[in-house]
């Protein structure tokens, strides 16, 4: 089977119906089949859809951003933090290297800060309202780079 580029619009809501993200009003997203760019539970559906088709897709946490891993939540003393003013929701890189994981502050006390390295959407069942806008064959160059070129993809 050849590999395709699938372009789609999406609106993401959590299980309370709150909108978390949407491509409405901007460019649709394009991805290369099987490249791991799209969460597995969503890609499975998109692969079977035709241009113009709309679908509401419920993706359980384990097929989205995974369950919350307790080992990725850690408490550190405030003195070890790079910033003086720290509040819930702040984000830090857990190291100097630009690829270090980003951690979120989820709790602050007078002496300690609790950091969570789980994906923000870990443990959440997600609903995607998707509309596939285009499906085409991937080019040889895209296949060798492992990502999409042009609208919705890389420009280089
Ligand atoms: Zn490329």
């Amino acid at each position: 089977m050849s590999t395709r580029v699938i372009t789609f619009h999406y609106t993401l809501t959590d299980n309370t119906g709150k909108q978390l993200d949407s491509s409405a009003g901007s460019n649709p997203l394009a991805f290369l089949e099987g490249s791991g760019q799209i969460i597995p539970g969503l890609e499975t559906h998109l692969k079977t859809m035709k241009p113009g088709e709309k679908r509401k897709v419920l993706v359980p946490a384990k097929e989205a951003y995974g369950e919350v891993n307790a080992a990725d939540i850690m408490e550190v003393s405030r003195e070890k933090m790079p910033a003086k003013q720290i509040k819930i929701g702040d984000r830090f890189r857990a190291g100097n290297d630009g690829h270090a994981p980003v951690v979120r502050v989820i709790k602050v006390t007078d002496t300690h800060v609790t950091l969570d390295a789980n994906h923000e959407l870990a443990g959440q069942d997600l609903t995607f309202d998707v509309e596939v806008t285009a499906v085409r064959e991937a080019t040889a160059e895209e296949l060798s780079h492992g990502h999409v070129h042009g609208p919705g993809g890389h420009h280089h």
Side-chain angles (χ1 to χ4, degrees):
M1 265 233 344
S2 60
T3 302
R4 299 170 303 161
V5 169
I6 300 172
T7 305
F8 68 103
H9 270 297
Y10 69 95
T11 295
L12 168 61
T13 49
D14 67 14
N15 58 12
T16 68
K18 182 180 154 223
Q19 184 174 317
L20 302 174
D21 195 11
S22 178
S23 65
S26 56
N27 290 325
L29 216 64
F31 74 100
L32 195 60
E33 271 184 304
S35 64
Q37 285 168 276
I38 302 294
I39 55 171
L42 183 57
E43 179 161 348
T44 309
H45 283 268
L46 290 169
K47 281 166 95 141
T48 66
M49 293 169 66
K50 294 183 176 60
E53 200 177 335
K54 293 181 182 179
R55 203 177 280 180
K56 188 188 262 303
V57 180
L58 178 67
V59 184
K62 65 174 170 26
E63 289 170 39
Y65 293 95
E67 301 292 353
V68 173
N69 182 359
D72 288 336
I73 298 176
M74 64 221 123
E75 197 181 50
V76 299
S77 98
R78 279 192 89 129
E79 293 118 58
K80 295 208 174 119
M81 297 300 296
K84 287 274 170 284
Q85 300 294 323
I86 296 168
K87 58 183 189 314
I88 290 173
D90 284 352
R91 286 172 168 72
F92 297 94
R93 243 180 228 296
N96 294 326
D97 139 29
H99 296 289
V102 171
V103 296
R104 261 177 319 130
V105 175
I106 58 168
K107 189 179 158 195
V108 181
T109 69
D110 288 342
T111 54
H112 287 81
V113 175
T114 305
L115 301 173
D116 185 353
N118 285 289
H119 190 283
E120 211 169 338
L121 297 176
Q124 293 200 42
D125 296 334
L126 303 173
T127 301
F128 290 87
D129 280 289
V130 293
E131 178 180 6
V132 169
T133 57
V135 177
R136 64 169 170 83
E137 295 294 313
T139 65
E141 195 185 39
E142 286 172 325
L143 290 174
S144 77
H145 287 199
H147 56 229
V148 175
H149 291 162
H154 283 237
H155 298 272
H156 64 105

